[in-house]
Amino acid sequence: MSKARFEQLREQLDQVNLEILEVLNRRAELVSEIGLLKNGKTTERFDPIREKEMLDKVVAANEGPFQNDTIRHLFKQIFQASLNLQEEEKKSLLVSRKTKAADTVITVGPLTIGNGSPVIISGPCSVETPEQMEAVASHLKKEGVVLLRGGAYKPRTSPYDFQGLGVEGLKLLSETAKRHGMVCVSEIVAPEDVEMACEYLDIIQIGARNMQNFELLKAAGNVRKPILLKRGLSATIEELVYAAEYIASRGNSQIILCERGIRTYEKATRNTLDISAVPILKQETHLPVIVDISHSTGRKDIMFPIAKAAIAVGADGLIVEAHNEPAVALSDAKQQLDLPQLSNLLHDLRTSGFLKDAAPVK
Ligand code: PRE
């Protein structure tokens, strides 16, 4: 073979390489778009059936000189590179640590959430009466707790159970909090109520049952109030992150994530607290992460060790339900602490060094 022919062949190969490159990147663009459609869905990225179909078609069209096995191998490499690309692009979510390395710190009235010092959110499961709210709030305030919770819209399993006081409940919660120099959080269940709720609430909660109510998430993304987003009953960590992304993608990055237990076969607790979700969420996102120790366990006797565990793995706060008369509470009577029990829990957490803020008022 002459030297001139050799050079000519290499020049042609250079040209073919560029053509392959162009085709590969055209393929990669399609793969990226498919990846975006798969985001937030439970669909696995890796799709072996689709890969086999594509390999069969390509091998059927192969006229050589490459052997079919070689073609299979080359295309498997392309599929793997495509999966890697989809995975890379997934990580550039707005809520991801890759996008923003610094922790998101949320300031609500006198409270800072996500600055390394865990906060306590407490109050009854449901807002019931002015007397109940006054009794709970005045006790919490004395204990140095400034974030008051109370449900006004209650998504209950049974339609015959107490459904909450609605907007009257929000007003009562808000007035009580203001009277005591506290801030308040409550759950909103309908997208059309989010704007109205901003008038009464300092933080809007999206509950576990609504974690994938995408219209509600969008409405929460459109307002400029912090959102407390609870993990769904059977939601994966990834699905929670995408739910948060729905809010962030609308311009509201003030999001607090909440691990509240997931559904498993275990019956000893109401839900199974997925403690590993806390460090994983802190690692993968820049958002504050709190733990609802009442809903995750559904029992009062293990509050202290569970609270310690949550703080030990990096939780930025705890939700603990408290009621002045839990025995007659209109919802979740079994899991709400009475006020002396709440004081004991806070005292134990403080004296063991787990809680630095929220010192009791002397
Ligand atoms: C693609 C990527 C990974 C899957 O395992 C299968 C196919 C590909 O590269 O063709 C694209 C894709 O994500 C898909 O078709 O679902």
Side-chain angles (χ1 to χ4, degrees), residues 20 23-24 27 51-52 54-59 61-62 66-83:
I20 294 174
V23 174
L24 278 177
R27 188 181 196 287
E51 290 195 6
K52 186 179 176 313
M54 287 190 289
L55 287 179
D56 289 347
K57 273 190 205 159
V58 173
V59 163
N62 182 30
F66 276 134
Q67 299 276 317
N68 286 346
D69 273 355
T70 311
I71 292 294
R72 271 198 199 91
H73 179 74
L74 284 171
F75 271 85
K76 269 302 284 176
Q77 297 290 320
I78 294 175
F79 299 157
Q80 187 53 53
S82 304
L83 280 171

Side-chain angles (χ1 to χ4, degrees), residues 27 30-31 34-35 38 44-48 50-51 54 78-83 86:
R27 188 181 196 287
L30 298 173
V31 162
I34 292 181
K38 282 185 180 174
E44 278 295 325
R45 268 171 221 291
F46 173 53
D47 186 343
R50 169 74 179 143
E51 290 195 6
M54 287 190 289
I78 294 175
F79 299 157
Q80 187 53 53
S82 304
L83 280 171
Q86 288 178 345

Side-chain angles (χ1 to χ4, degrees), residues 1-260:
M1 187 168 49
S2 71
K3 192 158 187 292
R5 175 65 182 149
F6 186 77
E7 289 306 326
Q8 195 188 27
L9 287 171
R10 278 195 161 176
E11 263 172 38
Q12 282 177 20
L13 275 186
D14 284 345
Q15 190 49 42
V16 171
N17 284 346
L18 293 179
E19 286 168 22
I20 294 174
L21 178 69
E22 199 199 315
V23 174
L24 278 177
N25 278 330
R26 192 139 51 82
R27 188 181 196 287
E29 275 166 21
L30 298 173
V31 162
S32 281
E33 209 176 319
I34 292 181
L36 285 180
L37 294 176
K38 282 185 180 174
N39 282 354
K41 304 235 171 72
T42 43
T43 334
E44 278 295 325
R45 268 171 221 291
F46 173 53
D47 186 343
I49 297 172
R50 169 74 179 143
E51 290 195 6
K52 186 179 176 313
E53 282 167 4
M54 287 190 289
L55 287 179
D56 289 347
K57 273 190 205 159
V58 173
V59 163
N62 182 30
E63 292 175 354
F66 276 134
Q67 299 276 317
N68 286 346
D69 273 355
T70 311
I71 292 294
R72 271 198 199 91
H73 179 74
L74 284 171
F75 271 85
K76 269 302 284 176
Q77 297 290 320
I78 294 175
F79 299 157
Q80 187 53 53
S82 304
L83 280 171
N84 293 348
L85 179 70
Q86 288 178 345
E87 202 58 33
E88 276 303 306
E89 290 181 341
K90 183 194 96 178
K91 296 211 174 87
S92 56
L93 296 179
L94 292 170
V95 296
S96 165
R97 274 260 180 233
K98 296 233 150 145
T99 310
K100 177 175 168 265
D103 286 336
T104 288
V105 176
I106 297 176
T107 306
V108 195
L111 206 65
T112 310
I113 307 172
N115 67 348
S117 192
V119 299
I120 298 290
I121 303 172
S122 190
C125 178
S126 298
V127 175
E128 297 167 10
T129 63
E131 296 72 25
Q132 166 228 25
M133 290 309 293
E134 177 53 32
V136 177
S138 55
H139 187 88
L140 291 178
K141 188 64 201 295
K142 264 192 262 143
E143 282 293 351
V145 175
V146 288
L147 184 39
L148 181 66
R149 58 145 291 133
Y153 294 91
K154 302 298 299 175
R156 305 298 301 281
T157 304
S158 164
Y160 306 114
D161 285 341
F162 177 58
Q163 302 288 308
L165 298 179
V167 68
E168 291 310 314
L170 293 186
K171 284 184 193 162
L172 186 48
L173 173 72
S174 163
E175 284 163 10
T176 313
K178 283 205 177 92
R179 202 165 52 244
H180 290 280
M182 299 171 84
V183 282
C184 64
V185 54
S186 193
E187 175 170 357
I188 294 302
V189 294
E192 59 275 18
D193 286 343
V194 170
E195 237 182 87
M196 166 282 285
C198 291
E199 200 183 315
Y200 304 107
L201 301 177
D202 301 288
I203 301 178
I204 292 172
Q205 179 180 313
I206 294 185
R209 283 161 186 80
N210 272 316
M211 189 207 83
Q212 281 190 320
N213 178 340
F214 296 114
E215 293 311 311
L216 185 59
L217 295 173
K218 287 181 201 167
N222 288 340
V223 295
R224 294 296 169 263
K225 280 271 171 182
I227 306 295
L228 194 169
L229 177 63
K230 286 193 157 192
R231 180 176 180 182
L233 274 68
S234 304
T236 62
I237 292 174
E238 187 181 34
E239 286 164 344
L240 172 59
V241 171
Y242 277 112
E245 185 73 7
Y246 259 91
I247 302 170
S249 67
R250 298 265 163 159
N252 187 357
S253 56
Q254 303 276 290
I255 306 161
I256 303 156
L257 301 175
C258 178
E259 162 59 37
R260 46 78 70 204

